[in-house]
């Protein structure tokens, strides 16, 4: 096992497997700083390239497919993202923790078993309630594409499990290659099918890309130690699940609530407005959220590292934290203004005819984008402070606020979109205030202890 992973396994962890402060933690972090940044740079490079590919081919796809086709793919991805954390029990997150390879293999096997069982449950539910689901979502074609959901969930969850195995093995390049293969195959299949064959090529291309990238992930993980394992359930498997029970309890459930809150607006728009409107919304929301999350991930990782270093050194956090918050806020406001003013014009040119309404969606969503960027960027401070409960409570609050949008579905779409943006602004303002309060409380407690 790489030294980095061995140190992670030996250090005390909190309920989500985050390395807790230890006496030699700061020194170890200094020694391995270059390896850490090298791994992050490889992962981030692959992520950036994987996101650039769909962005570059989007003008081609928008001229081959209708907004309805994009809405169908978005709905499949929505269900997979919501059910993903539950389908694996979040046990894949624990794969990097144990020293023993056998124990790590057992965790991977448990996660895969949970995935298969979850897939079978969804297949059964579709067989029983397919017609009712199609009517609820007002799907004119009967929603035959709903049967793509089990495959998307199963393949995506297994790919995620293999991703954590490769992370344990320190194979960051292979982790990036899985994302790149998915992006390349998705683009190539969608363009080819849309040009020469099927009007459903966007969905078929997505399913084909998910399957191929999952197979590549399985092969790569097998080459680096992932093997099927015999698991006596009562003697070994059940005690192992109990030992790591905090992952499904404090990881899977909050992550699922957060994903529901993120995806709930698309479900409401699909059910109460036209599929065309849902297509415009899903394309813009995915582009905007993808970009915001990528930038926030970079900022959040560096912020958490520096906060941990300051905690270990006994230094106050607020002076550094407040400066980072001010810079991110300034950057977010500048980006939001640019999206609001220039974005609609660019989209008309970039996406072509029939996508004019996407500009209106972008202009409205741009209003809340600075707060979303700031909230997600600062959230890792709660992990550094080991205040995970605050994060979980906010995720519950976010879900409840999103569910409240159901009260406004009778409004015209433009007004409903305005209510959505106001809701996001309020929710993220609460989140930012809670994070700041935790940082200030930490510094006040440090002053009293001093």
């Amino acid at each position: 096992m790489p030294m980095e992973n061995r140190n992670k396994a030996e250090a005390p962890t909190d309920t989500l497997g985050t390395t807790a402060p230890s006496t030699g933690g700061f020194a170890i972090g200094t020694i391995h700083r270059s390896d850490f940044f090298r791994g992050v740079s490889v992962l981030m490079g692959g992520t950036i390239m994987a996101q650039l590919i769909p962005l570059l081919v989007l003008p081609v796809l928008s001229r081959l497919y209708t907004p309805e086709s994009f809405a169908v793919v978005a709905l499949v991805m929505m269900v997979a993202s919501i059910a993903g954390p539950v389908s694996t029990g979040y046990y894949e997150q624990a794969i990097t923790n144990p020293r023993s390879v056998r124990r790590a293999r057992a965790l991977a096997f448990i996660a895969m078993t949970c995935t298969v069982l979850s897939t079978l449950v969804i297949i059964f539910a579709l067989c029983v309630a397919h017609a009712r689901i199609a009517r609820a979502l007002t799907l004119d074609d009967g929603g035959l594409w709903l049967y793509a959901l089990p495959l998307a969930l199963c393949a995506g969850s297994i790919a995620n499990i293999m991703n954590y195995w490769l992370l344990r093995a320190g194979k960051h390049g292979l982790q990036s290659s899985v994302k790149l293969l998915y992006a390349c195959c998705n683009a190539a299949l969608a363009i080819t099918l849309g040009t020469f064959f099927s009007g459903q090529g966007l969905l078929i291309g997505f399913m084909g890309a998910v399957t191929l990238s999952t197979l590549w992930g399985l092969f790569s993980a097998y080459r680096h130690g992932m093997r099927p394992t015999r698991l006596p359930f009562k003697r070994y498997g059940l005690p192992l699940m109990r030992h790591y029970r905090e992952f499904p309890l404090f990881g899977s459930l909050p992550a699922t609530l957060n994903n529901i809150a993120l995806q709930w607006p698309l479900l409401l728009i699909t059910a109460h407005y036209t599929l065309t409107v849902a297509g415009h919304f899903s394309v813009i929301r995915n582009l905007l959220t993808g970009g915001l999350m990528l930038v926030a991930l970079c900022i959040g990782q560096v912020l958490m590292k520096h906060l941990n270093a300051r905690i270990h050194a006994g230094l106050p956090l607020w002076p550094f934290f407040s400066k980072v918050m001010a810079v991110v806020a300034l950057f977010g406001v500048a980006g939001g203004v640019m999206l609001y003013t220039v974005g609609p014009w660019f989209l008309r040119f970039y996406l072509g005819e029939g996508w004019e309404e996407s500009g209106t969606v972008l202009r409205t969503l741009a209003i809340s984008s600075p707060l979303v960027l700031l909230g997600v960027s600062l959230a890792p401070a709660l992990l550094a402070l080991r205040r995970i409960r605050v994060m979980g409570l906010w995720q519950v609050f976010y879900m409840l606020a999103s569910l409240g949008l159901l009260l406004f579905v009778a409004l015209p779409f433009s007004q409903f979109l305005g209510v959505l943006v106001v809701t996001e602004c309020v929710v993220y303002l609460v989140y930012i205030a809670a994070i700041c309060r935790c940082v200030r409380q930490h510094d006040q407690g440090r002053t009293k202890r001093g």
Side-chain angles (χ1 to χ4, degrees), residues 32-190:
H32 290 281
R33 185 177 299 167
S34 61
D35 292 336
F36 172 78
F37 278 113
R38 189 180 302 116
V40 170
S41 64
V42 172
L43 279 175
M44 291 304 296
T47 302
I48 291 171
M49 291 180 65
Q51 291 211 347
L52 279 177
I53 290 171
L55 183 62
L56 293 174
V57 302
L58 185 58
V60 179
L61 297 179
S62 66
R63 289 162 173 82
L64 290 174
Y65 299 101
T66 63
E68 290 88 341
S69 298
F70 284 90
V72 166
V73 175
L75 287 169
V76 174
M77 295 174 66
M78 176 195 72
V79 176
S81 67
I82 291 175
V86 175
S87 70
T88 62
Y90 236 50
Y91 286 110
E92 78 280 5
Q93 304 273 346
I95 289 175
T96 60
N97 281 14
R99 297 190 202 181
S100 166
V101 175
R102 179 173 181 259
R103 200 173 178 87
R105 287 173 178 170
L107 285 168
F109 178 78
I110 289 171
M112 293 179 72
T113 302
C114 292
T115 296
V116 172
L117 293 176
S118 301
T119 303
L120 292 176
V121 169
I122 289 183
I123 292 174
F124 176 77
L126 285 175
C127 291
V128 172
H130 175 269
R132 277 176 285 179
I133 295 173
R135 284 196 302 270
L137 295 177
T138 62
L139 303 175
D140 296 333
D141 60 353
L144 292 176
W145 52 266
L146 287 171
Y147 288 103
L149 295 176
L151 176 59
L153 173 63
C154 186
S157 297
I158 291 175
N160 196 36
I161 296 168
M162 297 305 106
N163 174 70
Y164 277 91
W165 185 270
L166 293 173
L167 176 63
R168 175 187 174 87
K171 303 300 178 182
H172 305 302
L174 287 175
Q175 287 179 271
S176 296
S177 72
V178 175
K179 298 177 183 178
L180 284 172
L181 180 64
Y182 163 76
C184 293
C185 289
N186 192 15
L189 288 172

Side-chain angles (χ1 to χ4, degrees), residues 10 39 64 78 82 128 142 161 168 184 187 200 220 226 232 243 260 267 269 289 291-292 340 371 382 417 443:
E10 292 171 354
L64 290 174
M78 176 195 72
I82 291 175
V128 172
I161 296 168
R168 175 187 174 87
C184 293
Q200 291 295 328
S220 300
M226 178 62 201
H243 182 74
I260 290 174
L267 189 61
I269 291 170
T289 303
L292 289 175
Y340 187 88
L371 290 174
L382 296 175
L417 202 59
D443 281 0

